[in-house]
Amino acid sequence: MKIDAIELFHVELPLARPFETRLGVWETWETVLVRMLSGDAEGWGEASPGNAPAFYSESAATAFHVLRCHLAPRVVGKYVQNPDQLLELTSGVVGNNHARAALDCAWWDLFARRQNEPLHRVLDGKHEEITLGVSFDRMATIEDLLRAIGGAFEAGFSRVELKLRPGWDASMLNLVRREFPTENIHADVEGALGLQHMELLCRLDDFFLTMLEQPLPAEDLVGMAMVQDTIRTPLGLDEAIFSLRQAELALELKSGRYVQLKLGQLGGITTAVKVHDACEEAATPCWVGTLPDSGVGTRAAYAVAALNNCAFPAGYLLPEQRPAISLVPIPEPTRPSPDQPAVIRLWNDPGIGATPQLEELCRYCVAQASIRP
């Protein structure tokens, strides 16, 4: 199919509550939407690394610039029949995976809409329902945390992820495990430890966590393999997985027993599917993570979560953890009965199953561009 035009929208959405980052407190969330046009069909993608490089090396502003000046011009006017052709056209641009992901997801949405099929079925997804997990960071008191965890399990979420921070680690987990001795709880270290912390890592075995996510920095796959060989708690790989090559190396080294698929981090659906397939061949389950966004990126992520090897509950952001405005509906969990987990039922509409309204979108625009031949 010929890519006739690509439209870019840098938007700023109000957050449901202020968001504390390493670079300050944000009251809004910036993201970039991509609209890819071919004939009378359109597809949508999203880059949502945040307002500044507080979590990733990219920001919404840099993603908008790279898409406008470097990625989109290489694609517009070209015939792109499969996603590997898109990768080839943009291969001259180094890094910038979130910007690349927005373009890739827009192509997949466009392709699925032209097939008149939901994106998750075009990707050969095996699940029509997705189980979910939620994440909690440090809170003002341990009582607040325990109430939040109890509410999550009562609502039917299949797992709870806890962020470990200095002074908010083993002692916190000890109190949580006393209150919730058998529930599915995993901890995320975000690469903050090293091999010199092996005593602490071994101690975490006492809490029977479902997973310990990214205990060592992303680049230390060998160290992760050494930790996994030492402790019985399964390790999950998050920041370490940003390409197919990195995933294959991690699987070869046995650096972890779970792999997270984040579309922005991996550069889009195309690479995420390839990583999923490599993990499935290595009998290593995957799970899908989400970021605050307009809803476009979340829907693309949930389409990937339908893949067969995505066996661990996908990430779900509670309403207070994301923008107060969604430009497309974010699928909300339902619970068939009190003895069943909360699930998201995937849609039957083509593509990602929803389309932003341009009038609403432009209300929050801070920059806009149209790239044509």
Side-chain angles (χ1 to χ4, degrees):
M1 56 190 176
K2 184 181 179 183
I3 308 305
D4 296 322
I6 293 175
E7 297 176 353
L8 308 174
F9 306 87
H10 180 180
V11 301
E12 188 174 27
L13 301 172
L15 282 164
R17 68 181 183 193
F19 194 86
E20 186 174 351
T21 75
R22 299 181 182 93
L23 298 180
V25 176
W26 300 347
E27 295 188 354
T28 61
W29 188 272
E30 296 179 30
T31 185
V32 178
L33 294 177
V34 173
R35 184 189 188 205
M36 186 178 287
L37 301 167
S38 178
D40 59 356
E42 63 181 342
W44 289 84
E46 183 167 15
S48 188
N51 307 7
F55 306 102
Y56 301 96
S57 60
E58 295 172 82
S59 68
T62 64
F64 182 84
H65 170 77
V66 170
L67 281 160
R68 181 185 60 187
C69 297
H70 303 291
L71 290 173
R74 285 170 163 77
V75 176
V76 166
K78 305 293 196 307
Y79 285 88
V80 185
Q81 307 291 27
N82 60 67
D84 287 328
Q85 288 180 344
L86 185 67
L87 289 178
E88 185 177 347
L89 287 170
T90 59
S91 61
V93 178
V94 176
N96 292 281
N97 276 2
H98 284 83
R100 195 184 301 277
L103 203 63
D104 180 83
C105 292
W107 185 90
W108 274 106
D109 185 37
L110 173 63
F111 178 73
R113 290 176 192 248
R114 287 173 65 99
Q115 305 297 314
N116 199 33
E117 286 286 343
L119 178 56
H120 59 276
R121 292 185 193 148
V122 169
L123 295 173
D124 197 27
K126 305 302 182 185
H127 309 301
E128 292 291 334
E129 294 181 344
I130 297 169
T131 57
L132 305 166
V134 293
S135 174
F136 297 115
D137 210 329
R138 184 201 295 265
M139 295 188 179
T141 68
I142 190 67
E143 288 76 19
D144 291 338
L145 178 65
L146 295 176
R147 277 194 294 272
I149 295 172
F153 285 126
E154 187 175 344
F157 290 105
S158 298
R159 64 169 175 85
V160 164
E161 171 191 332
L162 303 177
K163 304 290 186 182
L164 298 191
R165 309 292 183 197
W168 189 258
D169 40 50
S171 57
M172 177 270 290
L173 287 175
N174 186 46
L175 293 170
V176 168
R177 266 301 179 218
R178 285 185 187 177
E179 188 75 16
F180 306 100
T182 60
E183 279 82 353
N184 188 349
I185 291 172
H186 86 266
D188 184 6
V189 186
E190 296 181 332
L193 300 179
L195 291 177
Q196 68 272 24
H197 299 105
M198 190 64 80
E199 182 178 348
L200 171 60
L201 291 166
C202 290
R203 186 182 172 195
L204 295 179
D205 269 345
D206 296 340
F207 302 111
F208 297 96
L209 299 171
T210 306
M211 177 202 309
L212 182 62
E213 185 178 335
Q214 202 62 52
L216 271 56
E219 65 274 10
D220 196 0
L221 291 177
V222 172
M224 289 278 288
M226 293 170 65
V227 173
Q228 186 63 95
D229 195 49
T230 303
I231 69 175
R232 66 172 179 268
T233 303
L235 299 188
L237 301 173
D238 176 5
E239 289 87 351
I241 306 302
F242 52 82
S243 68
L244 175 60
R245 182 177 180 181
Q246 189 79 350
E248 289 173 337
L249 180 58
L251 293 170
E252 180 69 25
L253 291 171
K254 295 182 170 51
S255 299
R257 297 179 190 161
Y258 291 93
V259 167
Q260 181 164 209
L261 305 176
K262 281 185 176 173
L263 301 191
Q265 194 167 284
L266 284 165
I269 292 172
T270 303
T271 302
V273 170
K274 292 179 179 180
V275 171
H276 164 276
D277 293 348
C279 290
E280 186 169 37
E281 186 175 347
T284 301
C286 298
W287 86 103
V288 169
T290 56
L291 293 170
D293 61 25
S294 73
V296 169
T298 295
R299 295 182 78 94
Y302 286 153
V304 172
L307 294 175
N308 184 60
N309 193 47
C310 291
F312 198 66
Y316 175 81
L317 294 180
L318 296 166
E320 62 269 22
Q321 297 172 330
R322 60 190 193 224
I325 301 294
S326 297
L327 297 177
V328 297
I330 292 178
E332 297 296 340
T334 59
R335 198 172 187 186
S337 67
D339 60 339
Q340 292 182 293
V343 297
I344 281 174
R345 179 78 182 173
L346 295 176
W347 52 91
N348 292 313
D349 297 317
I352 61 170
T355 303
Q357 298 300 311
L358 291 177
E359 182 178 347
E360 177 78 359
L361 172 58
C362 290
R363 285 182 57 196
Y364 300 98
C365 253
V366 297
Q368 189 173 344
S370 180
I371 294 87
R372 297 176 183 274

